[in-house]
Amino acid sequence: MTGKLIVFEGGEGTGKTTQIRLLAAALDHDVLVTRQPGGTSLGQTLRGLLLDSPPGSISDRAEALLYAADRAQHVDEVIRPALTAGTTVISDRWVDSSLAYQAAGRGMDPAWVAELSRWATAGVQPDLTVLLDIDPAVGLARAARRGAADRLEAETLDFHHRVRWAYLRLAAANPSRYLVVDAALPVDAIAHLVHAYVFQITADRKAAA
Ligand SMILES: Nc1ncnc2c1ncn2[C@@H]1O[C@H](COP(=O)(O)OP(=O)(O)OP(=O)(O)O)[C@@H](O)[C@H]1O
Ligand SMILES: [Mg+2]
């Protein structure tokens, strides 16, 4: 596979969608913007179930499996063909979301969630994960301005703190594959940091090729 997979991760309202739009516009080559859940037709249906079902209506194990099903379809139908064609793929969320939300947030066994995710993605891994990090109270307030809270936004603040620390631990365990950015910075400042980093690793890769 020759294309690069760049993933944006972070809690609610950290600015993932905002920054993905800006990065896609700044890259001058072929770019595919997609998301989990919801990057395929099946994924759209699963996203509706996962985000809009009433609180308590999906068991933890069923939730983990629905996210895995979304990922399997996404990799088979969209991600792998795009990477094989040399396209740069930018995804709004990836496996780290399950490690943060299902494992750290819900308390499921992280080894089990990691194994399920590995199976679902069939070994496809991001070349870079941009982690947008912010105090969850600030992120949730931003997300709330968009309207009614979805099933995950409606979780306790404690849940969202566990999600935040899980993300930071994942980044700390593999620093060369993560860019952690303070999401409290202004939109333009974050974009500047992200673009400089992405351009640099793209250039590094070209130099190394
Ligand atoms: N750096 C920033 N400073 C202030 N406000 C921001 C910043 N980045 C994004 N916002 C605003 O915060 C809100 C949430 O941003 P956005 O939708 O990009 O976040 P998100 O991480 O995609 O959220 P979700 O996880 O709910 O999809 C939007 O109203 C956006 O305009
Ligand atoms: Mg978003």
Side-chain angles (χ1 to χ4, degrees):
M1 284 188 285
T2 53
K4 299 297 171 215
L5 174 58
I6 301 170
V7 168
F8 280 70
E9 289 278 8
E12 317 299 312
T14 47
K16 298 178 293 300
T17 304
T18 303
Q19 292 299 327
I20 286 170
R21 196 171 34 78
L22 294 172
L23 176 61
L27 290 169
D28 59 1
H29 48 274
D30 198 15
V31 178
L32 174 77
V33 173
T34 185
R35 66 177 178 175
Q36 287 186 358
T40 61
S41 172
L42 173 66
Q44 274 294 104
T45 304
L46 294 170
R47 184 182 180 92
L49 287 171
L50 284 161
L51 299 184
D52 300 332
S53 295
S57 61
I58 303 178
S59 79
D60 290 356
R61 290 192 311 132
E63 182 184 51
L65 289 167
L66 289 172
Y67 278 112
D70 170 77
R71 264 180 210 124
Q73 188 70 26
H74 197 212
V75 165
D76 291 346
E77 185 180 325
V78 174
I79 302 285
R80 196 184 288 280
L83 294 176
T84 302
T87 304
T88 299
V89 178
I90 307 177
S91 183
D92 198 331
R93 298 192 179 278
W94 193 258
V95 165
D96 285 3
S97 286
S98 276
L99 295 170
Y101 287 78
Q102 271 72 58
R106 302 257 186 250
M108 300 196 76
D109 178 355
W112 190 87
V113 175
E115 185 55 31
L116 179 64
S117 302
R118 240 190 318 274
W119 187 78
T121 54
V124 175
Q125 286 188 336
D127 294 283
L128 171 68
T129 298
V130 178
L131 174 57
L132 298 174
D133 176 61
I134 202 167
D135 179 342
V138 178
L140 286 167
R142 282 183 189 170
R145 273 186 243 122
R146 275 190 319 226
D150 67 28
R151 202 170 56 87
L152 287 169
E153 287 165 6
E155 284 290 341
T156 63
L157 200 52
D158 199 47
F159 174 96
H160 291 287
H161 278 289
R162 290 199 296 280
V163 167
R164 181 191 191 186
W165 298 126
Y167 273 132
L168 289 171
R169 279 197 302 275
L170 287 166
N174 202 350
S176 65
R177 285 198 176 232
Y178 285 81
L179 172 66
V180 183
V181 182
D182 177 359
L185 291 168
V187 169
D188 290 354
I190 296 170
H192 183 76
L193 288 168
V194 171
H195 299 186
Y197 194 90
V198 169
F199 295 159
Q200 187 201 320
I201 62 163
T202 310
D204 286 352
R205 287 215 170 84
K206 275 191 195 126

